[in-house]
Amino acid sequence: MSRLGSGSQGGPVLVLGGTGEARRLAAELHAAGVPVLSSLAGRVSRPALPVGEVRIGGFGGPAGLADFLRTAAVVGVVDATHPFAARISASAAEAALLTGVPLVRLERPGWRGHPDAGRWTWVPDAAAALAAAPDAERPFLTTGRQSLAEYLPWSERAVLARVVDPPEVALPPRWTLLLARGPYEVAAERALISGHRADVLVTKDSGGALTAAKLTAAAELGVPVVVLERPAPPPGVALVPDVPAAARAVRRWLTQGSTRF
Ligand SMILES: NC(=O)c1ccc[n+]([C@@H]2O[C@H](COP(=O)([O-])OP(=O)(O)OC[C@H]3O[C@@H](n4cnc5c(N)ncnc54)[C@H](OP(=O)(O)O)[C@@H]3O)[C@@H](O)[C@H]2O)c1
């Protein structure tokens, strides 16, 4: 990206983050001389921090975010949060409508196009995931720390739960907790799945390459896969699939001087 200087109103581009894409976008904008402010929810203990200015913590819903956009004279918002972070995405959509600040949603493509996707069981929520694997005795669960409580009906099963940060709920004695952060390799995932003797993998459609190795490993081992579908993105919000496309949207805002949604 060429150097663009500050936005039309002198305020920053707000990047709603918590993902690798958000960090890469912040780095790209920062390197191009665009004032960028990254926002993190503050959920994890040692977040990977983006370059440039960072703020941490919720805004207080759509109205709070709208106030923030006005006060900080934000020139545009890139919602680069995780595909499953539905509340902040809805909040960003509403705040953009309230303020007229332009918004784009950077959402990496999901795994629907994965070569094995047709063999997986796709489910809308945790209850359906539980129902999809009624006989599994040794599930490998990678649906995220905040979802673990929804799988407590499996408290008598030998669940291997892998999460980045320690969960807030107490886990059943039969469960094994694995704290780990990707990226993961196929060989190590194969060893983990076969070492646990997992008989189902339950995961969510995060997309991307960093955590996809488990899908290949499960296929190689003949372990069935249950995938939680993504929440729908907020209606009316422009979607881009990657960092270069998000940077192009920012460039348009800055060169056209537009602050309309
Ligand atoms: N969900 C996942 O699987 C997942 C995986 C990897 C990373 N993450 C990252 O972790 C963060 C939280 O995810 P979540 O699923 O808990 O989100 P969420 O359910 O959509 O958001 C819950 C609340 O957290 C606050 N929040 C979320 N993201 C924020 C951000 N980037 N900056 C400021 N406030 C934020 C907002 O509070 P207010 O209403 O008070 O503004 C929001 O209403 C996100 O930034 C996301 O990118 C999530």
Side-chain angles (χ1 to χ4, degrees):
M1 189 184 223
S2 58
R3 292 189 75 80
L4 285 165
S6 60
S8 56
Q9 298 183 335
V13 170
L14 178 66
V15 177
L16 300 172
T19 59
E21 287 88 348
R23 288 189 292 279
R24 289 200 296 281
L25 178 65
E28 184 165 335
L29 296 178
H30 188 73
V34 177
V36 56
L37 170 60
S38 295
S39 176
L40 303 178
R43 293 284 158 70
V44 296
S45 52
R46 285 174 293 115
L49 289 176
V51 298
E53 210 182 326
V54 178
R55 64 162 302 286
I56 297 181
F59 296 96
L65 179 52
D67 283 347
F68 183 90
L69 298 182
R70 291 190 194 100
T71 305
V74 168
V75 296
V77 180
V78 180
D79 170 13
T81 57
H82 190 271
F84 279 79
R87 273 190 293 162
I88 186 68
S89 291
S91 202
E94 198 173 330
L97 282 174
L98 286 170
T99 58
V101 173
L103 166 70
V104 69
R105 166 91 175 124
L106 163 51
E107 188 169 290
R108 69 179 87 117
W111 287 322
R112 285 273 180 190
H114 189 282
D116 299 323
R119 288 197 286 275
W120 305 333
T121 304
W122 290 81
V123 294
D125 54 29
L130 293 166
D135 302 322
E137 286 296 330
R138 307 187 60 81
F140 177 27
L141 189 57
T142 68
T143 51
R145 175 180 58 125
Q146 292 180 75
S147 73
L148 290 184
E150 297 175 305
Y151 293 88
L152 291 178
W154 276 351
S155 59
E156 294 306 317
R157 305 187 192 197
V159 171
L160 171 62
R162 182 169 68 190
V163 289
V164 175
D165 262 331
E168 281 141 19
V169 294
L171 299 184
R174 285 211 69 200
W175 286 28
T176 303
L177 178 68
L178 176 57
L179 297 179
R181 186 190 292 270
Y184 303 103
E185 302 294 334
V186 174
E189 294 291 67
R190 208 188 299 116
L192 183 67
I193 293 171
S194 56
H196 181 66
R197 290 179 287 117
D199 51 8
V200 67
L201 164 64
V202 181
T203 190
K204 61 184 177 187
D205 184 17
S206 294
L210 298 185
T211 59
K214 62 192 168 204
L215 302 166
T216 307
E220 288 176 5
L221 294 165
V223 171
V225 177
V226 176
V227 184
L228 278 106
E229 295 159 358
R230 290 180 172 193
V237 176
L239 280 182
V240 293
D242 54 28
V243 171
R248 282 196 296 278
V250 170
R251 178 198 294 269
R252 277 195 300 275
W253 297 337
L254 298 184
T255 53
Q256 293 167 6
S258 164
T259 57
R260 295 304 307 163
F261 177 51

